Structures are given as C-alpha cells and as structure tokens.
Amino acid sequence: MTGVRQTFAGIAVASVVSAVVPGVAVAAPATVAPACVRIEQWETQDIKNKEWNSWAKMTNTCDDTYTVRMIWSWARDGDCRILDPGRSWTEGRFGPHPSVTELRLC
C-alpha cells in the first residue's frame, strides 16, 4: 500500500506544480541515442599529483547526424553535442569514479 500512496502523491504534486506555475509540464521520457553512437571509456592517473581522471569518447558511426549528450554517474552531465557521421567528441571528469551510463539524444 505504501507504494500506491507514493505514486498517487507524486501525481498530485505534479498536477499542483503544473497548475500553480504556468508553463511547467511533466517531463517526457529521455530518448537514448541509437546503438550506432558508440562510447569508449578509460581512466588516466597523474602520478606526480596523484590525480585520477575519467574520460569518455562518443563516436557517431551512424549514417545520420545526431545531437547527443553524455549522462555521467558521480559527475555533472555533458552538454549537447552535434555529431555528424564519422565524428567524435571526448570529455573528462576528475576522479576515478565518474563514468558515462548513457548517451542521450538532445
């Protein structure tokens, strides 16, 4: 029963927020990038400064252009990037824990 109450409470809150704040809508589900947009991940370590960095590179192997962003765990998500066919984008985050969990269409 607790789960049902939480679900109804969530719906009620969403309705109230939409009614109180003009222009606020319930978010549409995120769309995952197609499988032909590939992800490669690795970590580097600066021995001198004892710093780790986590890196991710997304590559568009599709026939079409897509606008994609990297969704990171343990870090800020990436910005939307336009990837033409055959193009790549690399970005990094500080620390050994961040990793990209999803490539999402913008």
Side-chain angles (χ1 to χ4, degrees):
M1 275 314 214
T2 303
V4 173
R5 286 186 207 142
Q6 290 173 348
T7 301
F8 288 133
I11 292 169
V13 169
S15 299
V16 170
V17 170
S18 296
V20 173
V21 181
V24 172
V26 177
T31 304
V32 176
C36 54
V37 179
R38 312 251 181 207
I39 185 76
E40 179 183 350
Q41 300 187 69
W42 67 97
E43 294 177 343
T44 59
Q45 182 182 22
D46 180 343
I47 303 291
K48 181 180 176 184
N49 296 325
K50 299 180 182 175
E51 293 178 349
W52 283 90
N53 290 304
S54 299
W55 299 93
K57 176 181 177 181
M58 57 183 174
T59 302
N60 183 358
T61 63
C62 311
D63 292 331
D64 297 314
T65 297
Y66 289 98
T67 303
V68 184
R69 67 188 293 192
M70 295 183 195
I71 305 303
W72 288 81
S73 64
W74 302 97
R76 176 184 60 82
D77 293 339
D79 294 328
C80 293
R81 301 291 174 183
I82 298 171
L83 288 180
D84 292 322
R87 302 296 292 195
S88 298
W89 175 259
T90 302
E91 60 187 50
R93 299 291 185 268
F94 292 114
H97 299 294
S99 63
V100 174
T101 59
E102 180 182 325
L103 295 177
R104 190 177 293 168
L105 295 178
C106 298

